[in-house]
Amino acid sequence: MTALLAAVGATTRFPGGARVGPADLAVDVGHALGVVGRSGSGKTTLVRMLLGLTPLRSGTVLWRGAPVPAGAGAAARAVRRELTYVPQDPAGSLDPRRTVRRALTDPLRRLGVDGDRAAHEARVAEALAAVGLKPDVADRRPPTLSGGQAQRAAIARALVTGARVVVADEPVSGLDHALRDQVLDLLAGLVRSGRIGLVWVSHDLDATARLCDDLLVLDAGAVVERGPADVLLRRPAHPATRALVEARLEGPTPAAVPAR
Amino acid sequence: MRLPLAAASRAAAVVAVAGVVAVLPWLSGRDAAYTVLRARYADREATPEALAAVRAELGLDRGPLGIAVDWLSGVLRGDLGTSWISGRPVAPGTAEAVGVSLTLTLAALAVALVVAALLVVPALRAALAGRPRAGTGVTATVLVALPEFLLATLLLLVGAVWLGWFPPYGWAGPGHLPLPALALGLPAGGLLGRLLATAVTAAATEPWVRTWLLSGHGAPATGAALLRRALPSVAGQVGLVVVGLTGGAVAVEEVFAVPGLGRLTLGAASSQDLPVLQAGLLALLVLAAALGGAVAVLRRALLGGAAAPALPPALPPAAGRRRDRTLALGAALLLATVVVAGLLRDPYASAHPRLAPPSVSLPFGADASGRDLLARVGHGAVSTVGTALLVVAVCTLVGLLLGCLPRLAAGPVEVGNAVPPVVVGLVVGALLGASVPAAALAVGLVSWAPLAAHASALLEEARRAPYVEVLPLLGVGRARLLLVHLLPVVAGPVVRHAALRVPGVALALAALGFLGLGARPPSPEWGLLLAEGSSYVERAPWTVLAPAGALVLVAVAAVSATSLAPRRPHASRAAPARRRPGVGVGGPG
């Protein structure tokens, strides 16, 4: 039985030309995989590979055992319903001129989720409830939301189409401590309850340690270390991992410092 | 894939321009045969056989490729063909005209440099005194505003008719040089000075300036550094201004009867003498390319070894000056008053004494046919501005459309930005004959380019917004992304930008009318009014002053309006090409 999302020896190149990968990983519902590394270590490029946004040079990325298609065809839409994305700065990823309801119903329609308007409305209400937002938030526009509400709305958008695996790329960088904890608890709850699987990309080891079962350490585009999170953080083998762990011990990580 | 497509588009644009010039005789088709028949064999009937004979004689029956190959291979051998009208070789006359135009252009450049220096010095002094200020004041605004054809007419009136210091027409001795050089150089210098002063002011707000001054670098050293910092950021626009001189020269040479390239080309376009027109256009394009190349070399020398994009451009601060706003509003109000007053009167009736001077009942006087000039100016506003509105509307649509294909449109945008509307007007006029639609087409052919450049810069900016980047993952396809998510964001600013260009386009249309490439008599078009009046300028100066006054008001409104435009953070790429309204170049930037 293969995992829902699996990468097998997947490599690509940075925009600059340096190689990223090969990456091997597998994620299932109820499971959280952390990808950590310094800025520029290739985390975002790996995310783009997993989502089918970057052509691979070798290896494959599989969804339910079949390669993740690129583009906007029917096959791609089917995958994008279940394999969704929470970008960096999730609040900024909401169009300021559209209501939260519109932000959530649009993907339902574009990705061809079954059901009429009423069924879609029900899905929106359910997704908002899942992230702890009140129904009246649906009719507001992002500029009128608080930072936490906007973050939750963006996560609701990732869930609404029936996500099975969510890829989150540093979604809490730039948040203050309290807000970060809210988002972490929310995602942890969704994973533990068996609703989604999570690929969690971050340079914030504290957050990653709280959330993830397994870790994968990237350095200069290559996977340099992997293993269960608690083991890896207690006994880092690779210098890159050690540097991350030491930076965490010396003081607050950048994400832990209120950014605004 | 980024560079090759843009490079291919540039190459294609250059080839297309050369190709259009090469196949001009074919493009004009039967029309040209008719013209030549009438010019050479006035006694012969224009029967189909006679026309066919002429076509065969001219080589018009050999198809576009044959004509283009013949002409291009002739050019390579130094043979520019023979005139259809006179039957003499084209090359010697063209060479003479190039010499004249080169002299005039260099003199105009000298004037422009002096004017620019005079405008920059105050900005530099203010910057060194620690009080950088935006803008260059009313002098520069007015200088930039006056299109060459208007300035030339005014200089002729003042310098040659009233003061009698200079000969009015011809090209016989050094006394003939100052007036045309001033007419060509003053607006260019005004624009250069304005651009540079703004760039210097912007550079002066950078922290290093204060550090230099505090650490004992003298004012001269800091001033030189400021200039060196400011120059590269405007070098591209300086290049456009200098290239624009070739367009402005057409009108100036026509007004002062200077036998240069512009006049040669204009004459050839009006008489459909296409070989002469081809040679003249080729020389104009080569001249423009040489001037643009010289500016590029200078820019490189200024930047030293640094690659062009490596240096962050010094951007002007967002500053709409109150004085500019007042000036724009005042000019618009005054103009509106004149137009409304004029619209209530009859522009065609010859109800007054010939060349009647201004009086209470006839505020602007009468023209040579005894027609009311106030009425003609008022009605002219409607047709000129109406056509300008139409042209701008079409250009906005085209600009938005092509702005969506930035790499594909790169070449046409650059050509459109650089080629002066008058040069296009010459080609279109020669092909289609002079008419308002032809003039509108000519101006439209270049006016879309700055709008497309602006649209594509805005699109690129909008594409980078996080909420747009995420859309492909939410199932939004390319077409929908563009139409539903990007265009609405971009359309607003582009339409506002287009509105600011209306006066500039109106001036370009008037310029073509003035040169006889646009509206025909008796329609009351402003450029045409000015051209008609200039024959009587000595006896009845009001025939020139009425349309000139109206044009000055439009020009001032145009240039001051541009300083009201909000600047965008990505102005380095988004900045629409700044052009002088008028003959040389399209609208205001």
Side-chain angles (χ1 to χ4, degrees):
Chain A
M1 162 87 196
T2 54
L4 274 176
L5 176 68
V8 185
T11 68
T12 185
R13 292 197 179 265
F14 274 126
R19 191 171 78 155
V20 179
D24 294 274
L25 56 83
V27 180
D28 259 313
V29 168
H31 176 214
L33 171 70
V35 177
V36 295
R38 295 180 304 162
S39 299
S41 58
K43 302 189 295 291
T44 296
T45 307
L46 176 63
V47 165
R48 294 180 59 82
M49 281 201 280
L50 294 179
L51 295 169
L53 294 176
T54 291
L56 301 178
R57 292 185 60 89
S58 63
T60 51
V61 175
L62 303 171
W63 178 257
R64 293 188 188 274
V68 170
R77 287 203 298 274
V79 173
R80 298 205 193 295
R81 286 198 287 267
E82 296 189 314
L83 171 62
T84 62
Y85 176 53
V86 177
Q88 287 182 21
D89 183 17
S93 74
L94 297 169
D95 188 333
R97 292 160 308 153
R98 298 183 175 216
T99 60
V100 170
R101 184 188 311 282
R102 185 85 194 274
L104 265 62
T105 48
D106 248 19
L108 290 176
R109 230 172 289 152
R110 299 273 77 77
L111 291 171
V113 172
D114 287 337
D116 55 6
R117 184 182 290 262
H120 284 179
E121 290 291 336
R123 272 178 173 270
V124 170
E126 197 255 344
L128 290 178
V131 298
L133 283 177
K134 294 202 185 105
D136 64 313
V137 169
D139 293 312
R140 289 167 59 183
R141 285 170 218 280
T144 70
L145 299 176
S146 72
Q149 286 172 320
Q151 301 274 342
R152 285 163 187 267
I155 294 170
R157 180 178 61 184
L159 299 177
V160 73
T161 52
R164 306 301 292 158
V165 171
V166 173
V167 180
D169 187 4
E170 310 234 21
V172 293
S173 65
L175 294 187
D176 65 42
H177 231 124
L179 210 49
R180 186 186 73 139
D181 286 348
Q182 281 181 23
V183 174
L184 289 178
D185 290 344
L186 166 63
L187 286 171
L190 288 166
V191 173
R192 302 281 133 73
S193 65
R195 182 167 168 154
I196 60 169
L198 183 67
V199 178
W200 170 264
V201 179
S202 184
H203 58 243
D204 176 354
L205 276 197
D206 274 322
T208 311
R210 276 176 54 179
L211 200 56
C212 298
D213 316 307
D214 293 305
L215 282 191
L216 198 142
V217 183
L218 277 180
D219 187 53
V223 177
V224 293
E225 198 168 356
R226 62 168 70 231
D230 47 351
V231 178
L232 218 113
L233 291 180
R234 249 182 292 125
R235 284 190 292 278
H238 192 271
T241 321
R242 222 172 295 137
L244 283 170
V245 172
E246 278 162 17
R248 173 192 174 214
L249 293 178
E250 277 163 17
T253 60
V257 179
R260 298 172 198 196
Chain B
M1 287 307 290
R2 218 178 158 76
L3 278 175
L5 188 53
S9 161
R10 287 192 184 103
V14 170
V15 169
V17 170
V20 166
V21 174
V23 300
L24 266 188
W26 176 77
L27 280 174
S28 72
R30 70 185 309 140
D31 205 8
Y34 188 72
T35 312
V36 172
L37 184 78
R38 280 222 305 221
R40 281 207 206 162
Y41 318 103
D43 47 338
R44 253 208 261 174
E45 283 286 312
T47 57
E49 297 79 45
L51 287 174
V54 171
R55 246 173 258 142
E57 186 192 329
L58 300 176
L60 285 180
D61 52 354
R62 270 173 310 143
L65 205 61
I67 290 177
V69 168
D70 276 5
W71 186 73
L72 288 172
S73 63
V75 167
L76 291 181
R77 280 182 278 113
D79 173 15
L80 295 174
T82 47
S83 161
W84 285 358
I85 307 290
S86 68
R88 285 199 297 260
V90 170
T94 310
E96 268 173 46
V98 168
V100 171
S101 281
L102 211 55
T103 316
L104 176 57
T105 308
L106 290 179
L109 266 180
V111 171
L113 287 182
V114 172
V115 172
L118 287 178
L119 289 175
V120 169
V121 164
L124 208 53
R125 287 172 81 153
L128 290 177
R131 293 175 276 103
R133 52 169 200 209
T136 42
V138 180
T139 327
T141 309
V142 174
L143 271 184
V144 172
L146 294 178
E148 293 89 345
F149 71 98
L150 180 58
L151 190 61
T153 313
L154 294 178
L155 281 173
L156 185 73
L157 188 67
V158 175
V161 178
W162 288 352
L163 297 176
W165 290 354
F166 302 100
Y169 304 113
W171 189 256
H176 284 101
L177 189 57
L179 286 185
L182 280 175
L184 199 52
L186 279 179
L191 182 50
L192 289 184
R194 209 171 139 97
L195 283 171
L196 257 179
T198 320
V200 162
T201 304
T205 59
E206 292 173 348
W208 63 268
V209 178
R210 175 160 294 186
T211 314
W212 276 48
L213 287 172
L214 287 177
S215 63
H217 287 75
T222 314
L226 261 178
L227 268 184
R228 197 171 166 174
R229 170 77 182 92
L231 264 173
S233 65
V234 293
Q237 300 189 321
V238 170
L240 283 184
V241 174
V242 173
V243 169
L245 284 178
T246 52
V250 176
V252 170
E253 289 175 6
E254 178 66 13
V255 170
F256 292 103
V258 173
L261 260 184
R263 192 152 178 266
L264 179 86
T265 321
L266 181 60
S270 336
S271 62
Q272 289 197 321
D273 192 349
L274 294 182
V276 177
L277 179 62
Q278 284 177 300
L281 285 176
L282 181 71
L284 274 179
L285 292 175
V286 169
L287 189 62
L291 288 171
V295 172
V297 168
L298 236 128
R299 178 181 187 202
R300 183 153 274 242
L302 274 172
L303 280 174
L311 196 69
L315 292 176
R321 296 215 308 169
R322 184 170 298 153
R323 201 169 3 156
D324 278 337
R325 194 166 307 196
T326 321
L327 211 56
L329 275 178
L333 269 179
L334 198 57
L335 194 66
T337 316
V338 169
V339 169
V340 170
L343 280 176
L344 301 172
R345 306 159 81 104
D346 181 354
Y348 294 108
S350 302
H352 307 274
R354 286 190 73 220
L355 299 175
S359 62
V360 176
S361 63
L362 205 59
F364 286 6
D367 70 1
S369 314
R371 291 174 297 200
D372 182 353
L373 275 170
L374 174 57
R376 290 181 69 71
V377 168
H379 284 265
V382 175
S383 67
T384 306
V385 175
T387 313
L389 278 176
L390 201 68
V391 168
V392 168
V394 173
C395 285
T396 308
L397 284 181
V398 174
L400 277 176
L401 201 69
L402 292 184
C404 300
L405 312 163
R407 279 168 283 162
L408 206 62
V413 165
E414 278 166 26
V415 169
N417 263 332
V419 175
V422 167
V423 172
V424 183
L426 287 169
V427 175
V428 175
L431 293 181
L432 303 179
S435 65
V436 173
L441 176 66
V443 175
L445 274 175
V446 292
S447 299
W448 63 271
L451 294 172
H454 186 192
S456 73
L458 287 176
L459 271 175
E460 194 169 314
E461 198 180 326
R463 265 184 218 281
R464 282 197 302 261
Y467 62 84
V468 174
E469 278 185 329
V470 76
L471 288 173
L473 286 171
L474 301 176
V476 176
R478 271 191 197 187
R480 191 178 176 84
L481 184 80
L482 198 61
L483 291 176
V484 177
H485 293 271
L486 290 178
L487 270 187
V489 182
V490 169
V494 172
V495 167
R496 277 197 291 284
H497 174 190
L500 291 177
R501 279 186 179 269
V502 172
V505 167
L507 286 181
L509 288 169
L512 291 179
F514 177 82
L515 293 173
L517 294 168
R520 312 296 303 164
S523 71
E525 200 273 332
W526 285 349
L528 198 58
L529 286 185
L530 192 63
E532 286 170 357
S534 54
S535 321
Y536 306 97
V537 63
E538 294 164 50
R539 273 188 290 158
W542 53 89
T543 52
V544 167
L545 287 179
L551 284 165
V552 168
L553 287 182
V554 172
V556 168
V559 173
S560 7
T562 55
S563 42
L564 308 182
R567 298 214 163 254
R568 293 156 301 278
H570 293 276
S572 55
R573 294 203 48 186
R578 246 181 201 258
R579 306 171 121 191
R580 212 146 8 89
V583 178
V585 278

